Amino acid sequence: MEELKDAVRRQEEFTANFAHELKTPMTSIIGYADTLYQKTLSPEEVHQLAGIIMNEGMRLEALSFKLMELVTLRDYGRGIPKEDLQKITEAFYMVDKSRSREEHGAGLGLALAVKIAKLHHTELVYESVAGQGTCVSFMLAKEADDEEEET
């Protein structure tokens, strides 16, 4: 129980710290964009503020890539038997029906996750070993200069 409490505490600290890291560039972007929107500026001033906005946007992009490096969805629980792995994204499918009912599951989580992944032009990849846990991963495309490249 103490390990779970410690894990929750670490997750809450990480979330708070990451939110703070996101807030700083967002505040700069909003402030400088507002200045561009509300004031008549010389071309040099516009160029300078646009450069700051671009740099802060790139900072946000770098933070998002770091977050993606940390998002290691993996558990070390029961794992999913090989024969069930093909079915886990079907709506309402539950590997352990009795346990899912106890936890008020509906069997929709992974079906929804697959649809969200498709909206982002990717797919979820599942690796699981019964008794050792499950890993879910995906690859997002980065759009750069009107081209998509894998990151």
Side-chain angles (χ1 to χ4, degrees):
M1 198 62 167
E2 288 302 315
E3 286 181 37
L4 287 175
K5 287 180 184 178
D6 191 46
V8 168
R9 182 192 52 76
R10 284 194 314 269
Q11 184 177 11
E12 288 171 350
E13 285 177 5
F14 171 80
T15 302
N17 289 334
F18 196 78
H20 177 74
E21 287 297 315
L22 290 175
K23 185 178 178 193
T24 303
M26 287 302 295
T27 301
S28 292
I29 289 170
I30 291 167
Y32 287 116
D34 185 51
T35 301
L36 286 173
Y37 181 73
Q38 294 198 28
K39 295 189 176 189
T40 303
L41 303 169
S42 69
E44 293 81 20
E45 290 171 315
V46 169
H47 184 76
Q48 179 185 9
L49 295 180
I52 293 170
I53 291 170
M54 185 179 80
N55 286 337
E56 294 298 320
M58 290 170 61
R59 183 173 168 196
L60 283 174
E61 181 183 48
L63 284 170
S64 70
F65 288 137
K66 288 201 180 290
L67 182 60
M68 290 307 301
E69 289 174 9
L70 296 174
V71 173
T72 36
L73 184 54
R74 177 181 297 275
D75 72 37
Y76 299 97
R78 299 176 186 201
I80 301 168
K82 196 174 229 173
E83 60 272 9
D84 289 313
L85 205 52
Q86 298 292 333
K87 303 175 203 171
I88 61 173
T89 60
E90 294 174 11
F92 306 109
Y93 184 80
M94 296 181 229
V95 174
D96 184 347
K97 290 161 185 45
S98 65
R99 184 168 182 248
S100 296
R101 269 188 247 115
E102 288 172 6
E103 296 176 8
H104 307 290
L108 292 173
L110 290 176
L112 292 172
V114 166
K115 291 190 182 296
I116 293 168
K118 284 183 183 178
L119 289 172
H120 292 280
H121 310 289
T122 190
E123 58 186 47
L124 302 178
V125 178
Y126 306 92
E127 298 173 39
S128 189
V129 177
Q132 293 182 17
T134 302
C135 178
V136 181
S137 59
F138 60 93
M139 182 75 67
L140 291 176
K142 175 185 173 192
E143 199 168 294
D145 301 324
D146 296 325
E147 294 179 22
E148 287 189 9
E149 58 186 60
E150 286 193 11
T151 59

